[in-house]
Amino acid sequence: MPIHFNDVDVVSEVAGLSSALIVPCNMCPAVTVAVRERKPFMQLFRSLLKSAPFDRYLKTLQTRLNENGVTTQIFKSVPYHQWFMCMWTSGKRKKLQKSAEQYDAVIVLGCESATETVRGVVNSDACKVVEGMKVAGIMNAELGFSLPADVSFKNCRTVPISR
Ligand code: SF4
């Protein structure tokens, strides 16, 4: 079911700005990164609350932006119920609104619904909203479990979304 993404060149999108808040949806983008790196999505014995490949992806993105003069922070969503940006509570949306006030840009890692969540609370005159991933299609995959407690997706295909 997760949406599958391609990356967008966010460095050029925020060129000339000095700060950006990275707002990741922790579900479909994290599955996308795990699948393309052929790594487990979750390793529950190591971490119950984060996907290691996506965590590394975020750190690499921060490093690249920093090398290009943009300081960043990740807007974290740790509990599972906050992983889906399309279903954030009003409290979480208000928290983003307040956090985004301190940045020149918000980089959204998620689908158009995730971007809609951001646009609903961020003042886009004062803070540029940048989409950091582009939808490639919907993933069709086999969910698999392996020892010690790994959750992976196998035989993945990307099904185009008909418009
Ligand atoms: S906001 Fe989009 S990317 Fe995130 S879980 Fe919902 S559908 Fe997937």
Side-chain angles (χ1 to χ4, degrees):
M1 182 281 284
I3 294 172
H4 196 78
F5 294 95
N6 291 326
D7 285 345
V8 169
D9 175 17
V10 288
V11 172
S12 66
E13 290 282 340
V14 296
L17 303 180
S18 57
S19 64
L21 182 64
I22 299 170
V23 183
C25 175
N26 285 349
M27 196 59 219
C28 307
V31 173
T32 292
V33 172
V35 164
R36 75 184 175 202
E37 292 188 4
R38 299 175 187 274
K39 301 279 190 215
F41 168 57
M42 296 289 294
Q43 292 183 292
L44 300 172
F45 267 157
R46 293 193 181 177
S47 174
L48 274 176
L49 293 170
K50 72 179 171 194
S51 173
F54 194 49
D55 199 47
R56 285 193 296 275
Y57 173 90
L58 292 173
K59 286 190 175 115
T60 304
L61 178 59
Q62 281 193 285
T63 302
R64 281 182 50 231
L65 288 163
N66 195 36
E67 286 168 354
N68 285 274
V70 184
T71 58
T72 61
Q73 282 291 326
I74 308 285
F75 186 72
K76 292 199 171 146
S77 301
V78 177
Y80 293 126
H81 73 276
Q82 293 181 0
W83 281 24
F84 300 77
M85 279 184 71
C86 43
M87 293 184 270
W88 272 359
T89 61
S90 63
K92 183 74 178 169
R93 290 169 200 244
K94 278 183 196 143
K95 197 170 171 198
L96 172 61
Q97 183 174 38
K98 194 157 179 42
S99 299
E101 284 168 4
Q102 303 159 44
Y103 294 88
D104 297 331
V106 167
I107 298 170
V108 188
L109 300 177
C111 68
E112 285 157 31
S113 182
T115 305
E116 184 62 27
T117 297
V118 172
R119 287 197 197 283
V121 294
V122 166
N123 175 4
S124 50
D125 290 337
C127 179
K128 183 177 181 182
V129 177
V130 174
E131 293 184 316
M133 287 183 159
K134 187 172 170 46
V135 173
I138 302 176
M139 201 177 79
N140 183 291
E142 294 167 18
L143 181 63
F145 301 93
S146 56
L147 292 173
D150 294 358
V151 180
S152 301
F153 294 92
K154 293 176 184 157
N155 296 327
C156 303
R157 285 168 292 132
T158 304
V159 182
I161 298 175
S162 37
R163 298 267 177 189

